[in-house]
């Protein structure tokens, strides 16, 4: 079978590998679409310290069941469209003991700490397979990143009385915006791209702030009657937006951090105390987050789902185009939502 591998800094190869055999308790998937995410780009650029040195990337999956092994529940049948929960958990660490398996200390995400799904076939434990009725395989490939955004909203305990600032309108940030709107919150989207801000408003954000051309803090204070936001969600991973999240949130507000900053961030810590802030990390997604995203997608009319896919997906490529595509993405990262690889 064909597999796409990142074998070194800015270096991709297409390898031939044996087709996996389906074992007892496993499901063999025929990959249809697999998304490139920001962590894959960082792996390509040699910046992802968590990734294997040579790795098959890919954990945003739209696939079809090819075969099932012995002991797999009858609900998983050949031919049905599925996505995958790409995280692992050890069952023994503090996070697992506390029932928050998405934050497992020893998690190994597909395509990062272990080989992922950018290949023709992959065999996985049946417990990680999520059947998705009424959603195309292409749309299934954007469920995982949206779930990460949904999880951040859950961590922020967003409600219909909140005004929420979302930093970053990539796929994860857009997922957070959708979920905030579902919960009845007023959303202020922040990005450097007018195109992304326009899409954020289409998804229900009330306001959009281009922090490159507008005074971010002044605008947030204008939109919140001087109080500041109730919740700030950082989905960029940049020291500037990390600090800005502390600045724009009001007294007793909540700050939720999703993005990984590539360097240490300095804070004026008096605001932590004076504002009595709740600062929370948000990692991966839970089964409930996946279910919520799937329900959202199922609620869309066919035409709306098609339009959403067209806007969320910047390009669909073949594996052989990965090298040039990743190079172009690295040169202009701000203009990309999601790139799908079609197998």
């Amino acid at each position: 079978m064909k597999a796409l591998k990142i074998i070194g800094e800015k270096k991709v190869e297409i390898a031939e590998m044996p087709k996996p055999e389906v074992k007892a308790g496993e499901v063999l998937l025929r990959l249809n679409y697999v998304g490139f995410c920001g962590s894959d780009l960082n792996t390509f650029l040699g910046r992802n310290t968590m990734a294997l040195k040579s790795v098959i990337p890919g954990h945003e999956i739209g696939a079809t069941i090819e075969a099932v092994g012995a002991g797999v529940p009858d609900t998983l049948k050949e031919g049905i469209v599925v996505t995958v929960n790409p995280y692992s958990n050890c069952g023994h660490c503090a996070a697992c003991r506390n029932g928050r398996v998405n934050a497992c200390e020893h998690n190994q995400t597909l395509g990062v700490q272990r080989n992922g799904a950018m290949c023709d076939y992959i065999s996985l434990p049946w417990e990680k397979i999520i059947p998705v009725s009424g959603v195309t395989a292409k749309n299934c490939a954007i469920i995982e990143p949206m779930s990460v955004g949904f999880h951040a909203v859950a961590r922020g305990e967003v409600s219909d009385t909140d005004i929420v600032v979302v930093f970053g309108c990539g796929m994860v940030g857009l997922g957070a915006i959708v979920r905030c709107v579902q919960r009845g919150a007023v959303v202020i989207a922040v990005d450097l791209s007018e195109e992304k801000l326009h899409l954020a408003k289409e998804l229900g954000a009330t306001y959009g702030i281009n922090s490159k051309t507008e005074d971010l803090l002044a605008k947030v204070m204008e939109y919140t009657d001087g109080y500041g936001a109730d919740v700030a969600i950082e989905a960029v991973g940049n020291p500037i937006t990390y600090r800005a999240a502390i600045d724009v949130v009001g007294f007793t507000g909540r700050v939720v951090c999703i993005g990984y900053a590539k360097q240490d961030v300095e804070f004026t810590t008096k605001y932590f105390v004076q504002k009595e802030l709740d600062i929370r990390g948000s990692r991966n997604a839970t089964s409930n987050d996946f279910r919520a995203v799937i329900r959202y997608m199922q609620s869309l009319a066919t035409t709306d789902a098609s339009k959403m896919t067209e806007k969320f997906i910047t390009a669909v490529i073949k594996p052989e185009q990965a090298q040039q595509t990743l190079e172009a993405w690295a040169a202009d990262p701000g203009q990309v939502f999601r790139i799908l690889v079609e197998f």
Side-chain angles (χ1 to χ4, degrees), residues 225-245:
D225 295 326
Y227 288 103
D230 300 289
V231 183
I233 296 176
E234 202 287 337
V236 177
N238 186 294
I240 295 172
T241 47
Y242 260 81
R243 288 190 290 267

Side-chain angles (χ1 to χ4, degrees), residues 99-176:
R100 291 164 65 177
V101 297
N102 59 291
C104 173
E105 181 180 356
H106 306 293
N107 166 66
Q108 293 187 331
T109 299
L110 284 174
V112 184
Q113 297 96 339
R114 55 186 171 136
N115 280 327
M118 286 205 178
C119 47
D120 290 324
Y121 298 93
I122 189 171
S123 191
L124 295 168
W126 71 263
E127 294 92 343
K128 296 298 180 181
I129 309 302
I130 305 172
V132 187
S133 62
V135 178
T136 65
K138 183 182 285 188
N139 278 358
C140 281
I142 61 176
I143 288 174
E144 190 274 345
M146 289 193 73
S147 298
V148 175
F150 272 46
H151 183 65
V153 175
R155 290 285 293 143
E157 300 181 73
V158 173
S159 75
D160 58 0
T161 62
D162 290 324
I163 299 177
V164 183
V165 175
V166 177
F167 289 91
C169 298
M171 277 302 309
V172 172
L174 292 177

Side-chain angles (χ1 to χ4, degrees), residues 81-331:
V81 173
V82 300
T83 191
V84 170
N85 182 328
Y87 323 120
S88 70
N89 63 284
C90 69
H92 306 293
C93 70
C96 290
R97 183 181 64 184
N98 292 331
R100 291 164 65 177
V101 297
N102 59 291
C104 173
E105 181 180 356
H106 306 293
N107 166 66
Q108 293 187 331
T109 299
L110 284 174
V112 184
Q113 297 96 339
R114 55 186 171 136
N115 280 327
M118 286 205 178
C119 47
D120 290 324
Y121 298 93
I122 189 171
S123 191
L124 295 168
W126 71 263
E127 294 92 343
K128 296 298 180 181
I129 309 302
I130 305 172
V132 187
S133 62
V135 178
T136 65
K138 183 182 285 188
N139 278 358
C140 281
I142 61 176
I143 288 174
E144 190 274 345
M146 289 193 73
S147 298
V148 175
F150 272 46
H151 183 65
V153 175
R155 290 285 293 143
E157 300 181 73
V158 173
S159 75
D160 58 0
T161 62
D162 290 324
I163 299 177
V164 183
V165 175
V166 177
F167 289 91
C169 298
M171 277 302 309
V172 172
L174 292 177
I177 289 168
V178 167
R179 192 56 165 163
C180 285
V181 171
Q182 283 187 323
R183 291 188 173 204
V186 172
V187 178
I188 303 170
V190 179
D191 204 281
L192 302 176
S193 165
E194 289 295 336
E195 180 184 1
K196 290 182 178 180
L197 290 171
H198 179 72
L199 181 52
K201 289 183 179 180
E202 284 191 25
L203 292 172
T206 304
Y207 306 104
I209 300 174
N210 187 323
S211 55
K212 181 169 61 177
T213 60
E214 298 178 272
D215 186 324
L216 172 64
L217 183 58
K219 282 292 184 183
V220 171
M221 289 303 170
E222 175 187 340
Y223 298 148
T224 61
D225 295 326
Y227 288 103
D230 300 289
V231 183
I233 296 176
E234 202 287 337
V236 177
N238 186 294
I240 295 172
T241 47
Y242 260 81
R243 288 190 290 267
I246 302 298
D247 291 339
V248 303
V249 78
F251 279 63
T252 69
R254 284 102 67 199
V255 178
V256 182
C257 304
I258 315 174
Y260 280 92
K262 307 304 181 294
Q263 60 262 36
D264 292 342
V265 185
E266 292 186 0
F267 291 104
T268 304
T269 54
K270 70 176 183 179
Y271 294 131
F272 296 9
V273 178
Q274 288 180 349
K275 290 185 176 182
E276 199 174 63
L277 299 180
D278 289 334
I279 302 174
R280 306 173 183 183
S282 181
R283 186 180 180 193
N284 299 332
T286 66
S287 297
N288 283 342
D289 300 316
F290 276 89
R291 282 197 293 269
V293 174
I294 290 168
R295 184 171 295 178
Y296 165 70
M297 289 191 171
Q298 289 171 333
S299 73
L300 298 173
T302 303
T303 52
D304 291 337
S306 176
K307 289 177 182 177
M308 180 187 72
T309 303
E310 290 173 5
K311 292 173 181 176
F312 281 12
I313 299 171
T314 305
V316 178
I317 66 168
K318 294 295 186 180
E320 292 78 9
Q321 299 171 283
Q323 178 75 43
Q324 66 192 62
T325 300
L326 287 169
E327 289 174 355
W329 187 10

Side-chain angles (χ1 to χ4, degrees), residues 44-110:
F44 176 72
L45 294 173
R47 300 173 182 169
N48 190 347
T49 58
M50 295 183 291
L52 298 174
K53 296 299 182 184
S54 177
V55 66
I56 300 171
H59 57 264
E60 302 174 359
I61 296 168
T64 306
I65 293 180
E66 180 84 0
V68 296
V72 173
D74 292 340
T75 51
L76 298 175
K77 301 180 184 296
E78 293 179 20
I80 68 172
V81 173
V82 300
T83 191
V84 170
N85 182 328
Y87 323 120
S88 70
N89 63 284
C90 69
H92 306 293
C93 70
C96 290
R97 183 181 64 184
N98 292 331
R100 291 164 65 177
V101 297
N102 59 291
C104 173
E105 181 180 356
H106 306 293
N107 166 66
Q108 293 187 331
T109 299
L110 284 174

